[in-house]
């Protein structure tokens, strides 16, 4: 999530400031309105977030350059708005105030009145502010995949985000499935990962302490009326994902090749390295090894590390390997990009994967971190079946899909 630029954000009439949809990026002509953070009659302060809009795969916050009551809202959630179109109107800060709204404005402003009380912020716009991300707060392939288990770049202290302050513990789908099978409540597990994320090692430590387990609850089906229906409106990121998937299936002839690989020695090596460098280096999941394998294979098969422009009939093969890592988040499916994977060893690769996964779960990935991949990796991990056929990430020409490890 990032902030919209303040280029010509508002026009002024006699009693209201008109805030327009800002230019949020080069070549962007329209945005989708995905959320309102204010309603009619609200009294807003300068720099307060008014709405979220979506373009491509980047969510952008629109802050207010004015203080005052909200007089009108333009557009409904899910509607496409042209850049420069009216977004909402804000009245002058001292126009039509009620005693209560004046009091709220006074509390939010640091300007003293002559009588010693706080003075509401005036209708004068603030100076231009650069695009910047919203302050971080703990939160969350074309084929859905469990998010890479992040290992913090700077290791967080155990319990840095108390579970009592989280409504839902942060953990990968694979870890949740394992905890459910073991009868462990993740709310009781001390998290050491970035932003309070629970790692596999945290669950192991919790079990080693002899924590009590419960029997996994039986899932009782809920009786439903035969004619019951539930409509879900697809907007924002989920709509962008659906559109891109449809485009990929329409424009790319898909062909799948499946191979079974013995990874017994690889898993033994991974366990050995994690044991040797525990607490000193990043925890290695299977993903860094898979990325290293792709990097080593690409020189022999350069045509798979490419992007195809079917409109002009040009295949561009890349020397650098920019790996898109399909990541499932609460907001939907994201594909953050690991730049120049050849320059990373196993541990730096693990750190970068963790950083991208953490940003994805907190909704902080930038456009640059979501674009430019040359080949995509999607791993279903423990939740995966025997075979999957992921959708190629257009305009790439190949995607590597990995399923769960089983004993043969």
């Amino acid at each position: 999530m990032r902030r919209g630029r303040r280029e010509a954000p508002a026009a002024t009439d006699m009693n209201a400031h008109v805030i327009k949809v800002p230019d949020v990026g080069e070549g962007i002509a329209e945005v989708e309105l995905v959320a309102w953070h204010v309603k009619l009659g609200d009294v807003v302060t300068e720099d307060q977030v008014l709405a979220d809009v979506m373009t491509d795969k980047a969510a952008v916050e629109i802050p207010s350059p004015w203080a005052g009551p909200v007089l009108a809202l333009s557009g409904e959630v899910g509607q496409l708005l042209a850049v420069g179109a009216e977004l909402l109107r804000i009245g002058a800060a001292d126009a039509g105030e009620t005693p209560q709204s004046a009091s709220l404005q006074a509390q939010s402003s640091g300007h003293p009145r002559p009588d010693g009380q706080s003075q509401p912020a005036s209708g004068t716009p603030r100076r231009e502010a650069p695009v910047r991300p919203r302050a971080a707060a703990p939160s969350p392939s074309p084929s859905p995949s469990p998010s890479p288990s992040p290992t913090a770049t700077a290791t967080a202290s155990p319990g840095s985000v108390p579970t009592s302050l989280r409504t839902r513990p942060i953990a990968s789908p694979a870890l949740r499935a394992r905890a459910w099978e073991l009868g462990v409540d993740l709310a009781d597990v001390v998290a050491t990962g970035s932003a309070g994320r629970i790692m596999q090692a945290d669950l192991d430590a919790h079990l080693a302490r002899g924590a009590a387990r419960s029997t996994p609850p039986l899932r009782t089906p809920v009786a439903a009326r035969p004619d019951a229906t539930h409509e879900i409106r697809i907007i924002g990121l989920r709509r962008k994902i659906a559109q891109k998937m449809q485009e990929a299936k329409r424009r790319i002839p898909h062909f799948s090749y499946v191979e079974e690989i013995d990874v017994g020695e690889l898993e033994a090596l991974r366990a050995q390295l994690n044991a040797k460098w525990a607490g000193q280096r990043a925890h290695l999941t299977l993903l860094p090894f898979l990325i290293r394998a792709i990097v080593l294979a690409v020189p022999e098969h350069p045509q798979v590390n490419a992007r195809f422009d079917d409109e002009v009939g040009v295949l561009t093969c890349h020397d650098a390997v920019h790996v898109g890592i399909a990541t499932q988040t609460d907001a939907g499916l994201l594909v953050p990009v690991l730049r120049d994977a050849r320059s990373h060893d196993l541990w730096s690769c693990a750190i970068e994967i963790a950083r991208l996964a953490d940003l994805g779960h907190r909704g902080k990935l930038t456009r640059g971190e979501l674009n430019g991949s040359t080949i995509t990796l999607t791993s279903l991990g423990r939740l995966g079946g025997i075979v999957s056929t992921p959708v190629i990430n257009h305009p790439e020409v190949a995607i590597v899909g990995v399923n769960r490890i089983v004993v043969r």
Side-chain angles (χ1 to χ4, degrees):
M1 183 75 72
R2 58 191 179 92
R3 288 292 180 96
R5 289 196 289 256
R6 298 266 186 92
E7 297 168 355
T12 306
D13 61 23
M14 294 297 293
N15 298 309
H17 306 292
V18 179
I19 298 180
K20 298 181 179 181
V21 177
D23 180 5
V24 294
E26 184 178 354
I28 302 300
E30 63 181 10
V31 299
E32 181 182 0
L33 179 61
V34 295
W36 282 114
H37 294 294
V38 296
K39 59 183 183 296
L40 286 176
D42 284 357
V43 178
V44 301
T45 58
E46 293 179 8
D47 209 35
Q48 180 177 336
V49 177
L50 303 172
D52 292 343
V53 298
M54 173 73 66
T55 172
D56 195 9
K57 281 191 175 180
V60 180
E61 295 175 337
I62 306 298
S64 175
W66 312 92
V70 177
L71 302 180
L73 301 177
S74 300
E76 299 179 353
V77 170
Q79 183 177 345
L80 295 178
L81 302 174
V83 170
E86 179 176 323
L87 183 65
L88 76 164
R89 291 179 179 244
I90 293 180
D94 56 352
E97 282 187 333
T98 64
Q100 181 179 10
S101 65
S103 175
L104 291 173
Q105 287 276 47
Q107 293 174 17
S108 63
S109 172
H111 303 297
R113 288 179 175 172
D115 59 6
Q117 297 180 355
S118 297
Q119 172 69 29
S122 69
T124 304
R126 296 179 55 153
R127 62 185 179 85
E128 300 297 313
V131 175
R132 62 186 185 278
R134 183 166 56 187
S139 62
S141 149
S143 286
S145 67
S147 56
S149 300
T151 303
T153 304
T155 303
S157 59
S160 56
V161 180
T163 53
S164 61
L165 298 181
R166 300 199 307 266
T167 56
R168 185 170 186 258
I170 306 173
S172 69
L175 192 147
R176 292 185 186 281
R178 182 185 172 208
W180 188 86
E181 292 170 358
L182 294 171
V184 174
D185 185 351
L186 288 180
D188 298 330
V189 178
V190 177
T192 63
S194 171
R197 187 177 182 84
I198 299 174
M199 315 297 292
Q200 291 286 357
D202 299 333
L203 180 55
D204 293 338
H206 182 76
L207 295 171
R209 289 194 294 267
R213 305 186 192 184
S214 61
T215 302
L218 295 176
R219 299 182 179 179
T220 305
V222 179
R225 300 193 314 272
D227 59 344
T229 60
H230 304 277
E231 292 186 356
I232 300 175
R233 192 174 184 186
I234 305 300
I235 64 171
L237 178 60
R238 293 187 183 277
R239 178 155 72 178
K240 294 295 182 183
I241 293 169
Q243 290 172 344
K244 189 165 185 180
M245 297 270 283
Q246 291 172 334
E247 181 182 20
K249 292 295 286 187
R250 282 196 301 265
R251 301 176 68 169
I252 301 175
H254 280 67
F255 167 77
S256 299
Y257 174 77
V258 180
E259 185 65 87
E260 188 174 68
I261 306 296
D262 184 348
V263 293
E265 292 192 15
L266 174 59
E267 279 294 274
L269 174 61
R270 188 172 73 88
Q272 177 186 344
L273 291 174
N274 281 330
K276 180 178 179 179
W277 299 105
Q280 301 178 53
R281 295 187 179 181
H283 180 81
L284 296 175
T285 64
L286 190 61
L287 288 180
F289 293 92
L290 296 174
I291 290 173
R292 288 300 301 164
I294 291 174
V295 166
L296 295 174
V298 159
E300 296 185 29
H301 307 278
Q303 66 273 19
V304 302
N305 187 50
R307 295 165 70 94
F308 179 55
D309 187 338
D310 56 343
E311 294 182 352
V312 297
V314 174
L315 178 70
T316 303
C317 297
H318 294 258
D319 292 334
V321 182
H322 305 306
V323 182
I325 305 171
T327 305
Q328 184 66 43
T329 72
D330 290 344
L333 183 68
L334 299 177
V335 188
V337 181
L338 176 67
R339 302 283 174 187
D340 194 11
R342 295 186 304 181
S343 66
H344 291 278
D345 62 16
L346 288 173
W347 287 276
S348 65
C349 186
I351 290 173
E352 183 64 4
I353 291 172
R355 185 186 72 84
L356 293 170
D358 179 55
L359 291 175
H361 281 277
R362 293 191 287 116
K364 305 298 181 183
L365 288 166
T366 64
R367 287 175 59 87
E369 290 166 328
L370 288 166
N371 292 322
S373 56
T374 57
I375 188 169
T376 294
L377 170 65
T378 175
S379 173
L380 291 178
R382 289 170 53 87
L383 299 183
I386 298 173
V387 173
S388 60
T389 55
V391 177
I392 296 173
N393 190 19
H394 181 270
E396 298 166 29
V397 302
I399 183 170
V400 179
V402 182
N403 293 76
R404 67 182 176 188
I405 298 173
V406 296
V407 177
R408 286 282 188 262

